[in-house]
Amino acid sequence: MTAPARLSPGDPAPGFSLPTDDGGQLALADLRGRKVVLYAYPAAMTPGCTKQACDFRDSLASLQAAGYEVVGISPDKPEKLAKFRERDAITFPLVADTDKAVLTAYGAYGEKQMYGRTVTGVIRSTFVIDEEGRIERALYNVKATGHVAKLRRDLGLD
């Protein structure tokens, strides 16, 4: 497996319809007309992913006030995402991409470096999608800690 193809500003955001943490379905098309922050994380209830999810949760009101919806995506099953939501009071949708097709389409699944080794997995990434469904920002290999604060600064919210 080689490095995944990456998205760039102006590219159409790959569409999806995925199961959510609450037993429903969420399609990107359902969010058309709104700005979306879609962030990809490796695994629910791990320390880094918990920190990142809680940072998004704690920033949600100001992101929503600026017109952004937040959606988290991981290869976890919906049942695990429900436990994650309940345990950490996550207040935005978490979607399950168990076959990793959507993560791959976004360039957020593939080879990455981890502890000096090449492994295949989720590449922690964040995508800002505009109201028309186009990529505004595609941020790859982001850090779990401090990323939300940097994103808020980059979006002019701080």
Side-chain angles (χ1 to χ4, degrees), residues 8 30 37 46 48 58 72 76 86 112 114 117 139 141 151:
S8 299
D30 297 340
V37 174
T46 57
D58 295 347
D76 295 309
E86 290 167 20
K112 63 181 184 175
M114 196 162 140
R117 294 185 8 240
L139 309 166
N141 296 307
L151 179 65

Side-chain angles (χ1 to χ4, degrees), residues 54-66:
C54 290
D55 282 353
F56 272 114
R57 176 199 66 205
D58 295 347
S59 291
L60 189 62
S62 64
L63 285 164
Q64 287 178 329

Side-chain angles (χ1 to χ4, degrees), residues 31 33-38 56 59-71 91-93 126-131 134 136-137 151-157:
L31 301 171
R34 291 180 267 175
K35 296 181 271 192
V36 178
V37 174
L38 176 69
F56 272 114
S59 291
L60 189 62
S62 64
L63 285 164
Q64 287 178 329
Y68 293 93
E69 297 294 329
V70 175
V71 178
T91 52
F92 52 84
T126 298
F127 307 93
V128 179
I129 302 167
D130 71 15
E131 297 89 340
R134 296 207 163 272
E136 192 175 291
R137 295 170 192 262
L151 179 65
R152 289 172 49 82
R153 284 191 304 277
D154 291 350
L155 294 174
L157 304 179

Side-chain angles (χ1 to χ4, degrees), residues 14-33:
F16 61 82
S17 181
L18 293 169
T20 62
D21 56 272
D22 65 2
Q25 285 278 127
L26 179 70
L28 183 60
D30 297 340
L31 301 171
R32 187 59 57 93

